[in-house]
Amino acid sequence: MKKLIVMMGGQGVGKGTFSNMLVDKYGYRHVETGAMLRSAPADSEIAKTIARGELVSDDMLFGLVADSIGDGDVILDGFPRTISQAKWLIENFADKFDVRVIYLEISQELMIERINKRIREGGGRQDDADTAAVQRRLKTFWDITVPAIDWLRTVSNIKFSVVHPTDSDVNRNFAMVVDALQD
């Protein structure tokens, strides 16, 4: 059965890094919803919503995600973010894919440290340097996304794994992600 790997976690946990490493190692397709949304024209409703630090509506996302998943092994990075999105994903894809959720769990302090490191190294998101935007994104993660993660833990027809990528060696952290996918 085709695999649908769902990378979840707060900002700076390594969702994009590990997704790209899985693409390189196994050839999965990487669907990064955040990048799709951030590439929207600046005057679009999507761009305005993101600039306010808010989540894009489910109606806008469901169509984008469904079209992006397609057939074959895929990694979803940045979706779902809410309980309703998690339920939609399971209702629409759990019977077609071997769904594997990888929750990359680190402390908020480490998230902020990694975001600051991205800024120092010239990478990351455009709004990483905006402290208020980062704080809104973190609050949204804790208040809205963590309940979705907790709900996904209870779903019986998927595999849910928690990985703690706290090692400074990205390859050791990646090995933990690969191990979680093997179970």
Side-chain angles (χ1 to χ4, degrees), residues 111-121 128 131:
M111 287 182 212
I112 292 170
E113 181 181 312
R114 288 181 178 177
I115 291 167
N116 289 333
K117 181 180 180 205
R118 288 193 309 212
I119 294 167
R120 285 191 308 272
E121 293 176 354
D128 279 349
T131 304

Side-chain angles (χ1 to χ4, degrees), residues 58-69:
D58 287 348
D59 290 337
M60 287 187 232
L61 280 175
F62 292 161
L64 286 171
V65 171
D67 290 344
S68 299
I69 288 177

Side-chain angles (χ1 to χ4, degrees), residues 30 74 80 86 89 94 97 166:
H30 181 198
V74 65
L89 183 70
F97 288 87
T166 56

Side-chain angles (χ1 to χ4, degrees), residues 1-7 28 69-76 89-90 92-102 155-161 180-183:
M1 183 176 263
K2 302 169 287 187
K3 285 186 183 171
L4 174 59
I5 300 168
V6 181
M7 285 288 184
Y28 297 122
I69 288 177
D71 293 326
D73 296 332
V74 65
I75 302 168
L76 271 183
L89 183 70
I90 298 306
N92 287 280
F93 295 98
D95 62 333
K96 300 173 184 99
F97 288 87
D98 174 13
V99 178
R100 305 282 181 118
V101 176
I102 303 292
V155 177
S156 61
N157 60 337
I158 67 169
K159 178 160 182 347
F160 185 97
S161 300
L181 291 172
Q182 303 306 317
D183 296 338

Side-chain angles (χ1 to χ4, degrees), residues 8-177:
M8 298 190 78
Q11 291 74 35
V13 299
K15 295 182 300 287
T17 298
F18 299 131
S19 294
N20 288 327
M21 292 172 84
L22 287 168
V23 167
D24 290 344
K25 184 171 178 120
Y26 299 109
Y28 297 122
R29 249 180 346 94
H30 181 198
V31 175
E32 185 183 359
T33 55
M36 286 190 315
L37 296 173
R38 286 188 298 274
S39 67
D43 61 344
S44 70
E45 189 57 38
I46 289 174
K48 291 175 186 174
T49 302
I50 293 169
R52 291 190 304 266
E54 299 170 4
L55 293 177
V56 173
S57 76
D58 287 348
D59 290 337
M60 287 187 232
L61 280 175
F62 292 161
L64 286 171
V65 171
D67 290 344
S68 299
I69 288 177
D71 293 326
D73 296 332
V74 65
I75 302 168
L76 271 183
D77 170 357
F79 185 90
R81 298 246 173 133
T82 66
I83 291 174
S84 64
Q85 292 171 5
K87 288 180 178 180
W88 175 85
L89 183 70
I90 298 306
E91 288 168 5
N92 287 280
F93 295 98
D95 62 333
K96 300 173 184 99
F97 288 87
D98 174 13
V99 178
R100 305 282 181 118
V101 176
I102 303 292
Y103 173 34
L104 303 168
E105 184 178 44
I106 65 173
S107 69
Q108 180 163 315
E109 293 77 21
L110 188 51
M111 287 182 212
I112 292 170
E113 181 181 312
R114 288 181 178 177
I115 291 167
N116 289 333
K117 181 180 180 205
R118 288 193 309 212
I119 294 167
R120 285 191 308 272
E121 293 176 354
R125 290 172 45 160
Q126 186 176 12
D127 62 350
D128 279 349
D130 181 344
T131 304
V134 169
Q135 289 302 318
R136 281 191 304 274
R137 288 179 8 226
L138 289 170
K139 182 171 177 19
T140 297
F141 171 72
W142 294 113
D143 293 350
I144 296 173
T145 305
V146 167
I149 291 167
D150 290 340
W151 180 81
L152 284 164
R153 287 179 201 263
T154 69
V155 177
S156 61
N157 60 337
I158 67 169
K159 178 160 182 347
F160 185 97
S161 300
V162 179
V163 174
H164 300 277
T166 56
D167 198 301
S168 60
D169 183 339
V170 71
N171 291 315
R172 280 197 287 259
N173 290 329
F174 181 62
M176 290 187 287
V177 170

